[in-house]
Amino acid sequence: MAIELKGLTKRSENYSQWYNELVVKADLAESSAVRGCMVIKPYGYAIWEKMQQQLDKMFKETGVQNAYFPLLIPKSYLCREAEHVEGFAKECAVVTHYRLKNAPDGNGVIVDPDARLEEELIVRPTSETIIWGTYKNWIHSYRDLPLLVNQWANVMRWEMRTRLFLRTAEFLWQEGHCAHATAEESEQRTVLMINTYADFAEKYMAMPVIKGVKSANERFAGAINTYTIEAMMQDGKALQAGTSHNLGQNFAKAFDVTFVNKENKPEYVWANSWGVSTRLMGALIMTHSDDNGLVLPPHLAPIQVVIVPIYKNAEQLAKISETVNPIVEELTRLGISVKYDDSENKRPGFKFADYELKGVPVRLAIGARDIENGTVEVMRRDTLEKQVEPLQGIVPFVASLLEEIQENIYQKALKQRESMTRTVETYDEFKEEIEKGGFILAHWDGTPETEDKIKEETKATIRCIPLDGDTTPGKCMVTGRPSARRVLFARNY
Amino acid sequence: MAIELKGLTKRSENYSQWYNELVVKADLAESSAVRGCMVIKPYGYAIWEKMQQQLDKMFKETGVQNAYFPLLIPKSYLCREAEHVEGFAKECAVVTHYRLKNAPDGNGVIVDPDARLEEELIVRPTSETIIWGTYKNWIHSYRDLPLLVNQWANVMRWEMRTRLFLRTAEFLWQEGHCAHATAEESEQRTVLMINTYADFAEKYMAMPVIKGVKSANERFAGAINTYTIEAMMQDGKALQAGTSHNLGQNFAKAFDVTFVNKENKPEYVWANSWGVSTRLMGALIMTHSDDNGLVLPPHLAPIQVVIVPIYKNAEQLAKISETVNPIVEELTRLGISVKYDDSENKRPGFKFADYELKGVPVRLAIGARDIENGTVEVMRRDTLEKQVEPLQGIVPFVASLLEEIQENIYQKALKQRESMTRTVETYDEFKEEIEKGGFILAHWDGTPETEDKIKEETKATIRCIPLDGDTTPGKCMVTGRPSARRVLFARNY
């Protein structure tokens, strides 16, 4: 796991290459021997674990419980909900056999032709079908509702063009699948979860998002309504960071899941599903990082503070450690994860560059002279600013600096988004502006045809119909027909 | 999710049926539409999550980091380590295609014959091969070692006869894969992890285990040595609860993973792997539970204390709640998970039976008379004993009762094991005793042939060569040849 510190492409030179290199150089993930599948390395996985733990806590606070459903789904299940299979599940890994055997030529193993499955099984691309197939046995009466279940799992979609974290054949995610007695309650839960995602994105990832509703074209296959949170990356492209789908009674009807309501009448169950994935890792990296490497929000950084001793001999190191150890203890007691890197086989300059690359929010460097002066050098990763601070009171100083960094990178990302969000009136203007990147708010007549035309001609899609913001009606920039309100356009990941 | 409280088969009638029914009735898991794959229901998953969290903490305390490797493994990888493929990976789910398409007759979807993979992929039965294929790029120098990595994942083995938790086609587990610079260090880690598993089993699951080494016959395919922890179920059968494998340099050689050692010479890396799975859920259930349902150790119970109010009207309930709420708060502050079940649509008797079935360690019942008297009825699940206690001081009383229950069920299981462990001298005696169930310590000549003969004739296997206990040499009960020490025999799950 040697660290390659040099030669990170600059964002201004080639943003896409900068991202690809950074993911690998910062030890987050790498491609595997299996096409399109990634290995998430320990440092990358530690960030994902922090995301998971926080999200899991937030879900549970809303009453959600975790469960686990099978990885493999019978092929026939996918066809039950007509739109679902049409829009969704064709590119997937198909299990056809259940046994290997020794090759007759003695060379390795072959698939045993006698071990063919009667019905092929699909590695889950998402679990609505298997879960609603199961809920049929769990739900009988309104007393069994609501059923608020989440699953942390791996899923697979046979993507042709893959990029680490952003689009991989296998990825990790959570998928919530709730069942309700009324349409209103299900809609409330759908909105609650998109709000939960937005809170998580803003408070933990320090990533501002726009909440909105997808157009029919961009809706989840089988949903009656899809809510989304959309973030802007530093190159001005949009990234869909989480979705929450109101499924109406579609899956309940497809899998015949009814309940006896309070009036003692059978009724189909109301459903929603919602998910975020390891794609959030890509969003996190692209929102904050710079030409020196990762910039991590303190609330998700596996190491929040690193302390590097600068010494010439064992005696000096011993003195420094004497001062540093109580600081480490105090920070730890405050719940701050701190690493004292007194390893001897790397020079301080190498350590500095490495922790910068890894995005550690705060670095303290302390030498023999500092001990004499009662000072310490503090470097904050977001601005790369250094300052000398008194050792006295350094613990509360660091604690408050971490919060300051969290807020600062959020505000920086918000300003960047605001500076790259424009309102346009005409389609010509739109075509010109979309080339510059960023978000464009424009009027649209609400038809899939117009949306398709815009996408074809400009590669921009409707990211969402924002929940907040200007709701003044107007005229579609393409057709001149009436538009209920401006919608958000962008090119996207 | 209606609860079926009645009709749990008694252990003495049919132990196996008792287990199957209990798993379903206590809402832990159920079979799915996919042959051999289970659905882990929220209550069962909550127990597994507690196990996961504790194990994860214990692993990290020894320096282990988590990572994630691909679900699918190229078929050719399995053949690289000759013993591994021979002993292991034949019965597995094989992915041969990556696309479905609409059926020509318009009826559902079929596998697209044009989307055949060049090389088939296997759903991982275990990940040594893909991980050692990856480590080749991670390890170059002794400075990269040790590499201490764990993965929480789903795996799949196409078992023909499955039982919920004990043996399922898909199961959840963790697999640790460590790389070391020396044979000694790798052996130390292998032993450290079996000790970690034993600690977890005894302190959290309250399940006594015997640590030992597997005979060559029972060793993991590709290992030079396998350590195991073996537990005894209430029916006297053994259950292998966790294993830790010293892999020597076998996988490093198969995947050509070398490092430059301190003497600047290339050397193959030393490896070990270790794992426990959702099988532990089966072990937990079968160690402690009784004819009334689950008995959970307080350290792993999702609900440690349930409080049931007994009331006739809203006024009484309000008074009881006034007393109970501060108790709930205090217990919660101590980190004790407590549920105040004041739901109105179930009678107290139903609640009592339900929480007994679910194995909640302590139940408090409190009525209007109790409020007057300043008392509360306490029921402990392990002995089903009830006692009336003063409300004053109930919180510390409950806290210490939970620890007492934890210790009591451990001691009970230990006594049961001791009473069912015998020493025999002759093979005739062995054949007679093995029919009664339990563990038998006997002399064995150390050959696979003798072991095979015993297995064939008695269905008993060598569970392990215990690390502790009597090491007096003797003569093999079957062949009369010299035996280094007694080994542990049992029939097993």
Side-chain angles (χ1 to χ4, degrees):
Chain A
M1 286 203 265
I3 298 139
E4 181 53 66
L5 297 176
K6 286 173 196 162
L8 179 61
T9 297
K10 287 191 165 50
R11 286 165 296 170
S12 57
E13 283 169 22
N14 187 333
Y15 189 81
S16 171
Q17 195 175 322
W18 164 82
Y19 173 80
N20 294 342
E21 289 176 9
L22 180 54
V23 170
V24 173
K25 282 176 198 279
D27 264 341
L28 301 177
E30 63 183 36
S31 296
S32 78
V34 184
R35 207 196 60 79
C37 295
M38 66 182 159
V39 173
I40 307 179
K41 299 181 78 171
Y43 192 62
Y45 200 85
I47 301 170
W48 174 242
E49 269 184 325
K50 286 215 140 193
M51 290 190 180
Q52 273 192 303
Q53 281 160 11
Q54 183 56 37
L55 284 164
D56 198 69
K57 188 163 166 275
M58 292 168 89
F59 297 160
K60 283 177 176 157
E61 281 166 3
T62 73
V64 170
Q65 293 180 295
N66 288 327
Y68 188 77
F69 297 86
L71 169 72
L72 300 180
I73 299 180
K75 192 188 68 178
S76 60
Y77 271 48
L78 295 181
C79 311
R80 296 267 201 110
E81 213 289 324
E83 280 183 40
H84 190 63
V85 67
E86 224 19 80
F88 208 94
K90 299 283 176 55
E91 310 286 331
C92 54
V94 187
V95 175
T96 56
H97 292 74
Y98 59 84
R99 193 165 54 227
L100 301 173
K101 63 175 192 177
N102 291 327
D105 63 3
N107 212 343
V109 289
I110 59 167
V111 178
D112 184 343
D114 294 339
R116 195 181 171 85
L117 289 167
E118 265 184 61
E119 179 181 1
E120 294 90 353
L121 299 167
I122 312 303
V123 178
R124 61 183 162 217
T126 180
S127 302
E128 277 77 6
T129 56
I130 188 85
I131 287 178
W132 280 89
T134 307
Y135 280 1
K136 185 173 168 56
N137 300 318
W138 292 8
I139 300 170
H140 304 287
S141 147
Y142 70 91
R143 288 189 201 87
D144 301 322
L145 298 172
L147 186 57
L148 310 174
V149 174
N150 176 62
Q151 147 166 297
W152 290 96
N154 52 347
V155 287
M156 197 151 220
R157 299 172 188 183
W158 210 265
E159 302 285 353
M160 280 300 126
R161 299 184 60 188
T162 61
R163 290 186 74 188
L164 293 170
F165 290 125
L166 295 174
R167 194 174 292 280
T168 46
E170 183 190 13
F171 55 93
L172 304 184
W173 80 345
Q174 60 68 217
E175 46 182 324
H177 296 273
C178 297
H180 299 268
T182 68
E184 295 69 35
E185 219 187 83
S186 184
E187 172 68 11
Q188 276 166 20
R189 168 60 58 171
T190 314
V191 172
L192 173 64
M193 297 323 290
I194 204 70
N195 285 333
T196 302
Y197 290 153
D199 275 1
F200 173 76
E202 303 199 331
K203 292 189 186 136
Y204 292 87
M205 297 176 69
M207 179 175 80
V209 293
I210 291 176
K211 287 185 276 191
V213 172
K214 286 287 183 191
S215 63
N217 274 8
E218 301 280 327
R219 200 179 279 158
F220 177 74
I224 60 170
N225 206 3
T226 287
Y227 291 87
T228 180
I229 52 171
E230 300 283 329
M232 186 194 285
M233 303 296 100
Q234 288 178 66
D235 62 349
K237 282 170 80 174
L239 188 143
Q240 174 182 306
T243 47
S244 184
H245 315 292
N246 185 333
L247 305 172
Q249 293 176 312
N250 289 347
F251 283 90
K253 284 178 181 165
F255 289 89
D256 193 28
V257 186
T258 60
F259 70 103
V260 176
N261 66 19
K262 284 189 181 168
E263 287 74 44
N264 211 26
K265 285 188 182 136
E267 191 179 341
Y268 284 113
V269 177
W270 301 87
N272 54 76
S273 66
W274 30 275
V276 296
S277 74
T278 37
R279 189 163 215 237
L280 287 182
M281 291 288 294
L284 187 74
I285 297 160
M286 287 205 293
T287 300
H288 304 300
S289 301
D290 63 24
D291 295 345
N292 295 299
L294 285 183
V295 174
L296 292 178
H299 293 179
L300 294 176
I303 305 167
Q304 294 174 301
V305 181
V306 66
I307 306 179
V308 179
I310 320 285
Y311 59 94
K312 290 201 180 106
N313 51 50
E315 198 190 337
Q316 280 189 357
L317 177 60
K319 258 198 182 156
I320 294 168
S321 298
E322 214 173 277
T323 302
V324 167
N325 288 336
I327 296 174
V328 170
E329 272 173 40
E330 267 189 81
L331 286 169
T332 306
R333 210 175 305 132
L334 292 177
I336 294 169
S337 67
V338 52
K339 178 173 176 177
Y340 178 39
D341 186 353
D342 59 354
S343 59
E344 294 185 24
N345 55 357
K346 291 168 203 146
R347 284 170 302 103
F350 180 93
K351 291 179 186 174
F352 287 3
D354 185 23
Y355 293 114
E356 260 175 57
L357 179 65
K358 296 266 175 73
V360 175
V362 173
R363 180 187 80 211
L364 306 183
I366 185 161
R369 178 106 33 105
D370 288 306
I371 300 287
E372 278 170 33
N373 299 342
T375 58
V376 57
E377 187 195 82
V378 181
M379 200 280 285
R380 53 187 285 180
R381 178 63 185 86
D382 58 338
T383 60
L384 296 171
E385 284 165 4
K386 287 180 206 167
Q387 60 193 108
V388 173
E389 287 294 321
L391 270 167
Q392 186 78 25
I394 193 64
V395 168
F397 178 84
V398 165
S400 107
L401 181 58
L402 287 169
E403 291 309 308
E404 193 183 320
I405 294 170
Q406 180 80 26
E407 178 63 15
N408 180 54
I409 64 172
Y410 174 76
Q411 290 299 340
K412 196 176 157 194
L414 185 61
K415 267 190 207 121
Q416 143 103 358
R417 186 185 80 189
E418 282 171 355
S419 76
M420 292 186 80
T421 303
R422 289 92 70 205
T423 298
V424 310
E425 305 304 330
T426 70
Y427 193 36
D428 281 346
E429 206 186 337
F430 180 87
K431 287 181 190 161
E432 202 183 303
E433 287 295 320
I434 202 73
E435 292 301 325
K436 300 175 192 162
F439 287 177
I440 297 182
L441 288 158
H443 282 292
W444 161 63
D445 63 15
T447 68
E449 295 73 27
T450 304
E451 190 178 358
D452 285 340
K453 177 183 159 79
I454 296 169
K455 185 174 180 181
E456 202 172 301
E457 294 177 356
T458 69
K459 291 185 198 136
T461 52
I462 297 176
R463 300 318 304 150
C464 68
I465 304 154
L467 295 185
D468 307 317
D470 184 10
T471 54
T472 320
K475 281 182 180 170
C476 175
M477 62 172 174
V478 178
T479 63
R481 282 186 287 199
S483 153
R485 54 158 304 164
R486 289 180 191 274
V487 301
L488 188 74
F489 288 91
R491 289 178 181 159
N492 70 292
Y493 280 96
Chain B
M1 285 203 264
I3 298 137
E4 181 51 65
L5 298 175
K6 286 172 196 163
L8 178 62
T9 296
K10 287 191 166 52
R11 286 165 295 170
S12 56
E13 284 169 21
N14 186 333
Y15 190 80
S16 171
Q17 195 174 323
W18 164 82
Y19 173 81
N20 295 343
E21 287 176 9
L22 180 53
V23 170
V24 172
K25 281 175 198 280
D27 263 342
L28 301 177
E30 63 184 34
S31 296
S32 79
V34 185
R35 208 196 60 80
C37 294
M38 66 181 158
V39 173
I40 306 179
K41 299 181 80 171
Y43 192 63
Y45 200 85
I47 301 170
W48 174 242
E49 268 184 326
K50 287 215 140 195
M51 288 190 180
Q52 272 193 303
Q53 281 159 13
Q54 183 55 38
L55 284 165
D56 198 69
K57 188 163 167 274
M58 292 169 88
F59 297 160
K60 283 177 177 157
E61 281 166 2
T62 73
V64 170
Q65 294 180 294
N66 288 327
Y68 188 77
F69 296 86
L71 169 72
L72 301 180
I73 298 180
K75 192 188 66 179
S76 60
Y77 271 48
L78 295 181
C79 312
R80 296 267 202 109
E81 214 289 324
E83 280 184 39
H84 189 63
V85 67
E86 223 20 80
F88 208 95
K90 299 284 176 55
E91 309 287 331
C92 54
V94 187
V95 175
T96 56
H97 292 74
Y98 58 85
R99 193 165 54 227
L100 302 173
K101 64 175 192 178
N102 290 328
D105 64 2
N107 212 342
V109 289
I110 58 166
V111 178
D112 184 344
D114 295 338
R116 196 182 169 85
L117 290 168
E118 267 184 58
E119 180 181 1
E120 295 90 352
L121 299 167
I122 311 304
V123 178
R124 62 184 161 216
T126 180
S127 301
E128 277 77 7
T129 57
I130 188 84
I131 288 179
W132 280 88
T134 306
Y135 280 0
K136 184 173 170 54
N137 300 318
W138 292 9
I139 300 171
H140 305 287
S141 147
Y142 70 91
R143 287 189 201 88
D144 301 323
L145 298 171
L147 186 57
L148 310 174
V149 174
N150 176 61
Q151 148 167 298
W152 290 97
N154 52 346
V155 287
M156 197 150 219
R157 299 172 187 181
W158 210 265
E159 303 284 355
M160 280 300 127
R161 298 183 61 186
T162 62
R163 289 185 75 187
L164 292 170
F165 291 125
L166 295 174
R167 195 174 294 279
T168 47
E170 183 189 13
F171 55 94
L172 304 184
W173 80 345
Q174 60 69 217
E175 45 181 326
H177 296 272
C178 296
H180 300 268
T182 68
E184 295 69 34
E185 219 186 82
S186 184
E187 172 68 11
Q188 275 166 22
R189 168 61 57 172
T190 314
V191 172
L192 173 63
M193 297 322 291
I194 205 69
N195 284 334
T196 301
Y197 290 152
D199 275 1
F200 173 76
E202 302 198 333
K203 292 188 187 137
Y204 292 86
M205 297 175 69
M207 179 174 81
V209 292
I210 291 176
K211 287 186 276 190
V213 172
K214 286 288 183 191
S215 64
N217 275 8
E218 300 280 329
R219 201 179 277 159
F220 177 73
I224 60 171
N225 206 1
T226 287
Y227 291 87
T228 180
I229 52 171
E230 300 283 328
M232 185 193 287
M233 303 297 98
Q234 289 179 65
D235 62 349
K237 281 170 83 173
L239 187 143
Q240 174 182 305
T243 47
S244 184
H245 315 292
N246 185 335
L247 306 172
Q249 294 175 311
N250 289 349
F251 284 89
K253 284 178 181 164
F255 288 89
D256 193 28
V257 187
T258 60
F259 70 105
V260 176
N261 66 21
K262 284 189 181 168
E263 288 74 43
N264 211 26
K265 286 189 182 135
E267 192 179 340
Y268 284 113
V269 177
W270 301 88
N272 55 76
S273 67
W274 31 274
V276 296
S277 74
T278 36
R279 187 164 218 239
L280 288 182
M281 291 287 295
L284 187 75
I285 297 160
M286 288 204 295
T287 300
H288 304 299
S289 301
D290 64 23
D291 295 346
N292 295 299
L294 285 183
V295 173
L296 292 177
H299 293 178
L300 294 177
I303 305 167
Q304 294 174 301
V305 180
V306 65
I307 306 179
V308 178
I310 319 285
Y311 59 95
K312 290 201 180 109
N313 51 50
E315 196 190 342
Q316 281 189 356
L317 177 59
K319 256 197 183 157
I320 294 169
S321 298
E322 213 172 278
T323 302
V324 168
N325 289 335
I327 296 174
V328 170
E329 272 172 43
E330 268 190 81
L331 287 169
T332 306
R333 211 174 306 131
L334 292 178
I336 293 169
S337 67
V338 52
K339 178 173 176 179
Y340 178 38
D341 187 352
D342 59 355
S343 59
E344 294 186 22
N345 56 356
K346 292 167 202 146
R347 284 170 303 102
F350 180 92
K351 292 179 187 174
F352 288 3
D354 186 23
Y355 293 114
E356 261 175 54
L357 179 64
K358 296 266 175 71
V360 175
V362 172
R363 180 187 81 211
L364 306 183
I366 184 163
R369 178 107 33 107
D370 288 304
I371 301 287
E372 279 170 33
N373 299 342
T375 56
V376 56
E377 187 195 82
V378 181
M379 200 280 285
R380 53 187 286 181
R381 178 63 186 88
D382 59 337
T383 60
L384 295 170
E385 284 165 5
K386 286 180 207 167
Q387 59 193 109
V388 174
E389 287 295 320
L391 269 167
Q392 186 79 25
I394 192 65
V395 168
F397 178 84
V398 165
S400 106
L401 181 58
L402 287 169
E403 291 310 309
E404 192 183 320
I405 294 170
Q406 180 80 26
E407 178 64 16
N408 180 54
I409 63 173
Y410 174 77
Q411 290 299 340
K412 196 175 158 195
L414 186 61
K415 266 190 208 123
Q416 144 103 358
R417 186 185 80 188
E418 282 170 356
S419 76
M420 293 186 80
T421 302
R422 288 93 70 205
T423 298
V424 311
E425 305 304 330
T426 70
Y427 193 36
D428 280 345
E429 205 186 336
F430 180 88
K431 286 183 194 161
E432 201 181 304
E433 287 297 320
I434 201 72
E435 291 301 326
K436 300 176 193 162
F439 288 177
I440 298 182
L441 288 158
H443 282 292
W444 160 62
D445 63 16
T447 68
E449 295 73 27
T450 304
E451 191 179 358
D452 284 340
K453 177 184 160 77
I454 296 168
K455 185 175 179 181
E456 201 171 303
E457 293 177 355
T458 69
K459 290 186 199 137
T461 51
I462 297 177
R463 300 318 305 149
C464 68
I465 304 154
L467 295 185
D468 308 318
D470 184 8
T471 54
T472 320
K475 281 181 181 170
C476 175
M477 64 173 173
V478 178
T479 63
R481 284 187 288 200
S483 153
R485 55 159 302 165
R486 287 179 193 275
V487 300
L488 189 72
F489 288 91
R491 289 178 182 159
N492 69 293
Y493 279 95

